[in-house]
C-alpha cells in the first residue's frame, strides 16, 4: 500500500468536500439549469416547427409562394397596391457581402444614402437611426430598423408589415438571428450566448424581448415623440433595444415576434477570441444603462440572476473534473477506498450531470436544426444552410467558456462604467451617456461579428460601394414601396 502523494491527498480532500450537502445542491442545481434550458429550447422548437408545418400545408393546397404569405390572394396586384410605405433605416459602417444581398431579396425598393455625422448626446448607432428617421418619407407608415449584417428573406419586410396591419396595437415588432458559426471558438461562444435568448423570441406572438437588429415601429411614434421614444434615445441613450424595451414596459406597450422573423447571421471566418470578448463586454455594458428607477431595478435583477446562473452552470463541471480525476488517480495509483476515503457519490453526480448535458445539447441541436430548415424554406433560392457545419464539441466548450466569462465581463462593466464601441469610448453616468471620446487610435480594424474589414488596405473604397449600389438599384424598375 503506497502513501498518498500531497497532490493526491488534496485531490481526494476536494472530492470529499464536493460531496457535502452544499456542494451536492450546487451540482443538482447545475443539472436543473441544463434541463430548464433544454425545455425552453424544446418549446421554441415547437413554435418554429409549427410555422414550418403551416407552410407545408399551404404548399400542399397549391400555394407555391407559401414562403411569402399563407394566403396567395395577398399577392394579387390590387392587394399589393394597398400596402403602406415602409422606411428602412440601416446604420452602415464599412461594406460587407450581405448589404446589397438584403435588398435584392426585397421586390420594391427605393434607396438613398444619408450621412448622419457624429453623435454628441447618444451612441453613434442611435444617432444614425434618428437621423434616418428624420429623413424618412412623409408618407411612411412604418419604420424598420435593421442591422446591416442581417440576411433578410424574400418578402421579410412585407411579412412584418402585414403583421403590423393586422394588429395596430403592436408597438414594436422584432426578430432574432440564427448565428452561423465560422469555426472559431469565439464564433461558437457568440452562438451559445444568443441561444438562451432565442426562447424569448420564439413565442409566435407577445414577448418581452427585443433585438436591435430588427425592429419595426410606427413612424408616427417618432414624428410625434410618443412615449418619449425620440427623447429617450437621443438624451444619453446607449442601447437602442434596451431603451425601447424599457419604454414599452413603462407604458405597457405590445412587443411581438412573428415565428418567421428568424434571420441567418453568418459570423466572420476570422472572428477571434478577443473580438468575442469585446462583443461580450458590450452586451454586459447595456445593463449599466437605464432610463428610469424601475428600469435600473430590473437591470440589476437581470445582472444578478444572469451572473448567478452562469456560474451556477459552470461550477458543477469544475466539480465533475475533480470527481473524475480523483477516481482515475485512485485506479492508476492503486489506492484503496479506505486509504483515500473516496466516495462514489461524486461519480453518481457526474453521471447525472453528463445525462442532463446531453439532453441540453440535443435540445439545442434540435432547435438549430428546425431554424435552419425554416430559413431554407423562407429563402428557397438562397444557398442552402446546413447543420453539418456545426461542431458540437466546440458548442460544449463554448457553453463553459461563455458562462464562465459572462460574470467577469459584467462585473468589469459595472465598475468601469465605460466601453469602447467601434472606436468610440462612451462613459455613463446615472445610466446615460454623458461623455464621448473619439480617437484615431481607438478605431478597430474589423467589425465585431461580420466579415467586413474596415482597414485602409482591404476595405472597398467609398466610390466602389456607391457605384455598386447604384448599379444594383438601377435594375429595379417597379413601383416603389420601401424606402431605405
Amino acid at each position: 500500500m503506497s502513501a498518498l502523494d500531497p497532490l493526491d491527498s488534496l485531490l481526494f480532500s476536494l472530492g470529499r468536500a464536493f460531496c457535502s450537502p452544499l456542494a451536492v445542491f450546487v451540482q443538482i442545481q447545475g443539472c436543473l439549469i441544463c434541463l430548464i434550458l433544454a425545455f425552453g429550447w424544446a418549446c421554441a422548437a415547437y413554435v418554429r416547427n409549427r410555422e414550418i408545418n403551416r407552410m407545408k400545408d399551404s404548399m400542399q393546397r397549391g400555394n407555391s409562394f407559401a414562403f411569402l404569405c399563407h394566403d396567395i390572394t395577398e399577392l394579387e396586384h390590387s392587394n399589393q397596391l394597398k400596402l403602406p410605405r415602409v422606411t428602412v433605416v440601416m446604420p452602415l459602417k464599412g461594406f460587407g457581402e450581405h448589404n446589397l444581398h438584403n435588398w435584392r431579396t426585397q421586390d420594391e425598393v427605393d434607396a438613398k444614402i444619408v450621412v448622419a455625422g457624429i453623435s454628441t448626446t447618444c451612441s453613434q448607432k442611435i444617432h444614425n437611426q434618428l437621423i434616418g428617421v428624420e429623413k424618412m418619407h412623409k408618407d411612411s407608415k412604418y419604420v424598420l430598423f435593421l442591422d446591416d449584417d442581417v440576411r433578410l428573406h424574400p418578402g421579410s419586410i412585407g411579412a412584418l408589415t402585414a403583421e403590423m396591419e393586422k394588429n395596430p396595437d403592436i408597438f414594436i415588432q422584432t426578430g432574432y438571428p440564427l448565428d452561423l458559426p465560422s469555426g472559431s471558438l469565439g464564433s461558437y461562444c457568440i452562438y451559445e450566448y444568443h441561444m438562451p435568448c432565442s426562447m424569448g423570441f420564439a413565442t409566435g406572438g407577445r414577448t418581452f424581448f427585443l433585438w436591435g437588429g430588427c425592429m419595426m415601429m410606427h413612424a408616427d411614434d417618432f414624428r410625434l415623440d410618443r412615449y418619449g421614444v425620440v427623447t429617450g434615445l437621443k438624451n444619453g441613450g446607449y442601447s437602442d433595444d434596451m431603451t425601447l424595451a424599457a419604454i414599452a414596459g413603462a407604458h405597457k406597450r405590445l412587443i411581438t415576434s412573428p415565428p418567421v422573423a428568424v434571420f441567418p447571421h453568418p459570423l466572420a471566418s476570422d472572428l477571434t477570441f478577443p473580438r468575442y470578448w469585446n462583443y461580450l463586454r458590450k452586451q454586459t455594458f447595456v445593463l449599466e444603462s437605464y432610463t428610469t428607477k424601475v428600469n435600473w431595478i430590473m437591470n440589476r435583477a437581470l445582472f444578478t440572476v444572469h451572473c448567478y446562473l452562469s456560474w451556477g452552470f459552470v461550477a458543477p463541471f469544475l466539480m465533475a473534473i475533480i470527481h473524475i480525476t480523483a477516481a482515475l488517480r485512485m485506479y492508476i495509483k492503486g489506492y484503496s477506498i479506505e486509504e483515500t476515503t473516496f466516495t462514489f457519490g461524486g461519480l453518481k453526480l457526474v453521471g447525472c450531470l453528463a445525462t442532463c448535458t446531453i439532453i441540453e445539447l440535443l435540445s439545442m441541436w434540435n432547435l438549430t436544426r428546425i431554424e435552419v430548415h425554416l430559413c431554407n424554406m423562407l429563402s428557397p433560392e438562397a444557398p442552402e444552410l446546413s447543420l453539418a457545419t456545426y461542431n458540437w464539441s466546440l458548442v460544449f466548450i463554448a457553453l463553459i467558456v461563455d458562462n464562465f466569462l459572462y460574470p467577469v465581463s459584467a462585473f468589469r462593466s459595472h465598475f468601469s462604467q465605460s466601453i469602447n464601441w467601434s472606436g468610440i469610448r462612451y462613459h455613463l453616468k446615472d445610466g446615460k451617456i454623458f461623455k464621448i471620446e473619439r480617437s484615431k487610435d481607438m478605431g478597430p480594424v474589423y467589425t465585431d461579428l461580420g466579415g467586413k474589414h474596415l482597414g485602409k488596405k482591404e476595405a472597398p473604397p467609398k466610390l466602389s460601394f456607391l457605384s455598386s449600389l447604384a448599379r444594383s438599384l438601377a435594375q429595379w424598375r417597379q413601383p416603389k414601396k420601401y424606402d431605405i
Side-chain angles (χ1 to χ4, degrees), residues 377-408:
M377 293 187 69
L378 291 171
S379 296
E381 296 183 358
E384 189 171 278
L385 305 178
S386 173
L387 200 65
T389 60
Y390 287 75
N391 184 326
W392 293 97
S393 297
L394 280 179
V395 171
F396 172 72
I397 295 174
L399 280 168
I400 305 299
V401 172
D402 183 67
N403 281 285
F404 175 77
L405 290 179
Y406 182 90
V408 177

Short mmCIF file of all heavy atoms in Angstrom, two decimals, residues 377-408:
data_model
loop_
_atom_site.label_atom_id
_atom_site.label_comp_id
_atom_site.label_asym_id
_atom_site.label_seq_id
_atom_site.Cartn_x
_atom_site.Cartn_y
_atom_site.Cartn_z
N MET A 377 -36.56 27.22 -46.03
CA MET A 377 -37.88 27.32 -46.65
C MET A 377 -38.25 28.77 -46.95
O MET A 377 -38.89 29.06 -47.97
CB MET A 377 -38.94 26.69 -45.74
CG MET A 377 -38.81 25.19 -45.58
SD MET A 377 -40.20 24.47 -44.67
CE MET A 377 -41.54 24.68 -45.84
N LEU A 378 -37.83 29.70 -46.08
CA LEU A 378 -38.16 31.11 -46.28
C LEU A 378 -37.31 31.74 -47.38
O LEU A 378 -37.69 32.76 -47.94
CB LEU A 378 -37.97 31.87 -44.98
CG LEU A 378 -38.96 31.55 -43.85
CD1 LEU A 378 -38.53 32.19 -42.55
CD2 LEU A 378 -40.37 32.01 -44.23
N SER A 379 -36.16 31.15 -47.68
CA SER A 379 -35.28 31.65 -48.75
C SER A 379 -34.96 30.50 -49.70
O SER A 379 -33.84 29.98 -49.72
CB SER A 379 -34.00 32.24 -48.17
OG SER A 379 -34.25 33.36 -47.38
N PRO A 380 -35.94 30.06 -50.51
CA PRO A 380 -35.74 28.87 -51.34
C PRO A 380 -34.68 29.03 -52.41
O PRO A 380 -34.11 28.03 -52.87
CB PRO A 380 -37.13 28.65 -51.96
CG PRO A 380 -37.80 29.98 -51.90
CD PRO A 380 -37.29 30.64 -50.67
N GLU A 381 -34.39 30.27 -52.83
CA GLU A 381 -33.41 30.48 -53.89
C GLU A 381 -32.01 30.78 -53.36
O GLU A 381 -31.07 30.88 -54.14
CB GLU A 381 -33.87 31.62 -54.81
CG GLU A 381 -35.17 31.31 -55.55
CD GLU A 381 -35.55 32.42 -56.51
OE1 GLU A 381 -34.82 33.44 -56.55
OE2 GLU A 381 -36.56 32.28 -57.21
N ALA A 382 -31.87 30.94 -52.07
CA ALA A 382 -30.56 31.23 -51.47
C ALA A 382 -29.78 29.93 -51.30
O ALA A 382 -30.37 28.84 -51.28
CB ALA A 382 -30.75 31.92 -50.13
N PRO A 383 -28.46 30.01 -51.18
CA PRO A 383 -27.67 28.81 -50.89
C PRO A 383 -28.17 28.13 -49.63
O PRO A 383 -28.42 28.80 -48.62
CB PRO A 383 -26.24 29.35 -50.72
CG PRO A 383 -26.22 30.62 -51.49
CD PRO A 383 -27.60 31.21 -51.37
N GLU A 384 -28.32 26.84 -49.68
CA GLU A 384 -28.94 26.11 -48.57
C GLU A 384 -28.03 26.08 -47.35
O GLU A 384 -26.83 25.79 -47.45
CB GLU A 384 -29.27 24.68 -49.02
CG GLU A 384 -30.12 23.92 -48.01
CD GLU A 384 -30.63 22.60 -48.54
OE1 GLU A 384 -31.65 22.61 -49.25
OE2 GLU A 384 -30.00 21.56 -48.24
N LEU A 385 -28.61 26.39 -46.20
CA LEU A 385 -27.88 26.29 -44.94
C LEU A 385 -27.84 24.84 -44.50
O LEU A 385 -28.73 24.05 -44.83
CB LEU A 385 -28.56 27.14 -43.87
CG LEU A 385 -28.80 28.61 -44.19
CD1 LEU A 385 -29.51 29.29 -43.03
CD2 LEU A 385 -27.49 29.31 -44.49
N SER A 386 -26.81 24.47 -43.77
CA SER A 386 -26.66 23.08 -43.34
C SER A 386 -26.23 23.03 -41.88
O SER A 386 -25.40 23.83 -41.43
CB SER A 386 -25.64 22.35 -44.21
OG SER A 386 -25.38 21.05 -43.71
N LEU A 387 -26.77 22.07 -41.17
CA LEU A 387 -26.39 21.84 -39.77
C LEU A 387 -25.05 21.13 -39.69
O LEU A 387 -24.43 21.08 -38.62
CB LEU A 387 -27.48 21.03 -39.08
CG LEU A 387 -27.52 21.06 -37.55
CD1 LEU A 387 -27.86 22.45 -37.06
CD2 LEU A 387 -28.54 20.06 -37.03
N ALA A 388 -24.59 20.59 -40.81
CA ALA A 388 -23.35 19.83 -40.82
C ALA A 388 -22.13 20.69 -40.50
O ALA A 388 -21.07 20.16 -40.14
CB ALA A 388 -23.16 19.15 -42.17
N THR A 389 -22.26 21.99 -40.65
CA THR A 389 -21.12 22.88 -40.40
C THR A 389 -20.90 23.13 -38.91
O THR A 389 -19.86 23.68 -38.53
CB THR A 389 -21.33 24.23 -41.11
OG1 THR A 389 -22.53 24.84 -40.61
CG2 THR A 389 -21.45 24.04 -42.62
N TYR A 390 -21.83 22.74 -38.06
CA TYR A 390 -21.72 22.99 -36.62
C TYR A 390 -20.84 21.92 -35.96
O TYR A 390 -21.03 20.71 -36.20
CB TYR A 390 -23.09 22.99 -35.96
CG TYR A 390 -23.93 24.22 -36.26
CD1 TYR A 390 -24.54 24.38 -37.49
CD2 TYR A 390 -24.09 25.23 -35.32
CE1 TYR A 390 -25.32 25.50 -37.78
CE2 TYR A 390 -24.86 26.35 -35.60
CZ TYR A 390 -25.46 26.48 -36.82
OH TYR A 390 -26.22 27.59 -37.10
N ASN A 391 -19.91 22.35 -35.15
CA ASN A 391 -19.04 21.46 -34.38
C ASN A 391 -19.55 21.42 -32.95
O ASN A 391 -19.38 22.38 -32.19
CB ASN A 391 -17.59 21.98 -34.42
CG ASN A 391 -16.62 21.04 -33.74
OD1 ASN A 391 -16.94 20.38 -32.76
ND2 ASN A 391 -15.40 20.97 -34.26
N TRP A 392 -20.18 20.32 -32.57
CA TRP A 392 -20.86 20.28 -31.28
C TRP A 392 -19.91 20.09 -30.10
O TRP A 392 -20.27 20.35 -28.96
CB TRP A 392 -21.95 19.21 -31.30
CG TRP A 392 -23.03 19.64 -32.25
CD1 TRP A 392 -23.18 19.27 -33.54
CD2 TRP A 392 -24.05 20.61 -31.99
NE1 TRP A 392 -24.23 19.93 -34.11
CE2 TRP A 392 -24.79 20.76 -33.19
CE3 TRP A 392 -24.40 21.37 -30.87
CZ2 TRP A 392 -25.87 21.63 -33.29
CZ3 TRP A 392 -25.47 22.23 -30.97
CH2 TRP A 392 -26.20 22.36 -32.16
N SER A 393 -18.68 19.66 -30.38
CA SER A 393 -17.67 19.65 -29.32
C SER A 393 -17.32 21.08 -28.94
O SER A 393 -17.19 21.42 -27.75
CB SER A 393 -16.42 18.90 -29.79
OG SER A 393 -16.71 17.55 -30.04
N LEU A 394 -17.18 21.95 -29.96
CA LEU A 394 -16.91 23.37 -29.68
C LEU A 394 -18.11 24.05 -29.04
O LEU A 394 -17.94 24.99 -28.26
CB LEU A 394 -16.51 24.09 -30.97
CG LEU A 394 -15.06 23.92 -31.42
CD1 LEU A 394 -14.81 24.65 -32.73
CD2 LEU A 394 -14.09 24.41 -30.35
N VAL A 395 -19.31 23.60 -29.39
CA VAL A 395 -20.51 24.15 -28.75
C VAL A 395 -20.46 23.90 -27.25
O VAL A 395 -20.74 24.79 -26.43
CB VAL A 395 -21.79 23.55 -29.36
CG1 VAL A 395 -23.01 23.96 -28.54
CG2 VAL A 395 -21.96 24.00 -30.81
N PHE A 396 -20.08 22.67 -26.86
CA PHE A 396 -19.99 22.34 -25.43
C PHE A 396 -18.92 23.17 -24.75
O PHE A 396 -19.14 23.72 -23.65
CB PHE A 396 -19.69 20.85 -25.25
CG PHE A 396 -19.38 20.47 -23.83
CD1 PHE A 396 -20.38 20.44 -22.87
CD2 PHE A 396 -18.08 20.17 -23.44
CE1 PHE A 396 -20.11 20.10 -21.55
CE2 PHE A 396 -17.79 19.83 -22.14
CZ PHE A 396 -18.81 19.80 -21.19
N ILE A 397 -17.76 23.31 -25.38
CA ILE A 397 -16.69 24.12 -24.80
C ILE A 397 -17.15 25.57 -24.67
O ILE A 397 -16.88 26.24 -23.66
CB ILE A 397 -15.42 24.02 -25.66
CG1 ILE A 397 -14.88 22.59 -25.64
CG2 ILE A 397 -14.35 24.99 -25.16
CD1 ILE A 397 -13.71 22.36 -26.57
N ALA A 398 -17.86 26.07 -25.70
CA ALA A 398 -18.35 27.44 -25.66
C ALA A 398 -19.35 27.64 -24.53
O ALA A 398 -19.40 28.72 -23.93
CB ALA A 398 -18.99 27.80 -27.00
N LEU A 399 -20.16 26.61 -24.23
CA LEU A 399 -21.09 26.71 -23.10
C LEU A 399 -20.35 27.00 -21.80
O LEU A 399 -20.77 27.86 -21.00
CB LEU A 399 -21.87 25.40 -22.96
CG LEU A 399 -23.06 25.16 -23.88
CD1 LEU A 399 -23.52 23.70 -23.80
CD2 LEU A 399 -24.21 26.08 -23.51
N ILE A 400 -19.23 26.32 -21.59
CA ILE A 400 -18.47 26.50 -20.37
C ILE A 400 -17.77 27.86 -20.38
O ILE A 400 -17.84 28.63 -19.41
CB ILE A 400 -17.43 25.38 -20.21
CG1 ILE A 400 -18.10 24.00 -20.27
CG2 ILE A 400 -16.67 25.55 -18.90
CD1 ILE A 400 -19.12 23.76 -19.20
N VAL A 401 -17.09 28.17 -21.50
CA VAL A 401 -16.30 29.39 -21.57
C VAL A 401 -17.18 30.62 -21.45
O VAL A 401 -16.89 31.55 -20.68
CB VAL A 401 -15.50 29.42 -22.89
CG1 VAL A 401 -14.82 30.78 -23.08
CG2 VAL A 401 -14.46 28.30 -22.91
N ASP A 402 -18.28 30.66 -22.21
CA ASP A 402 -19.13 31.85 -22.21
C ASP A 402 -19.77 32.09 -20.85
O ASP A 402 -19.83 33.22 -20.36
CB ASP A 402 -20.20 31.72 -23.29
CG ASP A 402 -21.07 32.95 -23.40
OD1 ASP A 402 -20.56 34.01 -23.81
OD2 ASP A 402 -22.27 32.87 -23.06
N ASN A 403 -20.26 31.02 -20.23
CA ASN A 403 -20.91 31.19 -18.92
C ASN A 403 -19.91 31.53 -17.83
O ASN A 403 -20.27 32.17 -16.83
CB ASN A 403 -21.68 29.92 -18.56
CG ASN A 403 -23.01 29.83 -19.27
OD1 ASN A 403 -23.96 30.51 -18.93
ND2 ASN A 403 -23.06 29.00 -20.31
N PHE A 404 -18.66 31.10 -18.00
CA PHE A 404 -17.64 31.49 -17.02
C PHE A 404 -17.27 32.96 -17.18
O PHE A 404 -17.09 33.69 -16.19
CB PHE A 404 -16.40 30.62 -17.19
CG PHE A 404 -15.25 31.04 -16.31
CD1 PHE A 404 -15.25 30.71 -14.96
CD2 PHE A 404 -14.19 31.78 -16.81
CE1 PHE A 404 -14.20 31.11 -14.13
CE2 PHE A 404 -13.15 32.18 -15.99
CZ PHE A 404 -13.16 31.84 -14.65
N LEU A 405 -17.17 33.43 -18.43
CA LEU A 405 -16.70 34.78 -18.67
C LEU A 405 -17.78 35.85 -18.50
O LEU A 405 -17.46 37.01 -18.28
CB LEU A 405 -16.11 34.89 -20.09
CG LEU A 405 -14.79 34.17 -20.32
CD1 LEU A 405 -14.35 34.33 -21.76
CD2 LEU A 405 -13.70 34.70 -19.39
N TYR A 406 -19.06 35.45 -18.61
CA TYR A 406 -20.12 36.46 -18.53
C TYR A 406 -20.06 37.25 -17.22
O TYR A 406 -20.08 38.49 -17.25
CB TYR A 406 -21.49 35.82 -18.71
CG TYR A 406 -22.60 36.86 -18.67
CD1 TYR A 406 -23.03 37.48 -19.82
CD2 TYR A 406 -23.19 37.23 -17.47
CE1 TYR A 406 -24.02 38.45 -19.80
CE2 TYR A 406 -24.18 38.20 -17.42
CZ TYR A 406 -24.59 38.80 -18.59
OH TYR A 406 -25.57 39.77 -18.55
N PRO A 407 -20.01 36.60 -16.04
CA PRO A 407 -19.94 37.40 -14.81
C PRO A 407 -18.67 38.25 -14.74
O PRO A 407 -18.71 39.36 -14.20
CB PRO A 407 -19.95 36.33 -13.70
CG PRO A 407 -20.61 35.14 -14.33
CD PRO A 407 -20.15 35.15 -15.75
N VAL A 408 -17.55 37.74 -15.28
CA VAL A 408 -16.32 38.53 -15.28
C VAL A 408 -16.53 39.82 -16.07
O VAL A 408 -16.18 40.92 -15.63
CB VAL A 408 -15.16 37.71 -15.88
CG1 VAL A 408 -13.89 38.56 -15.95
CG2 VAL A 408 -14.91 36.45 -15.07
#
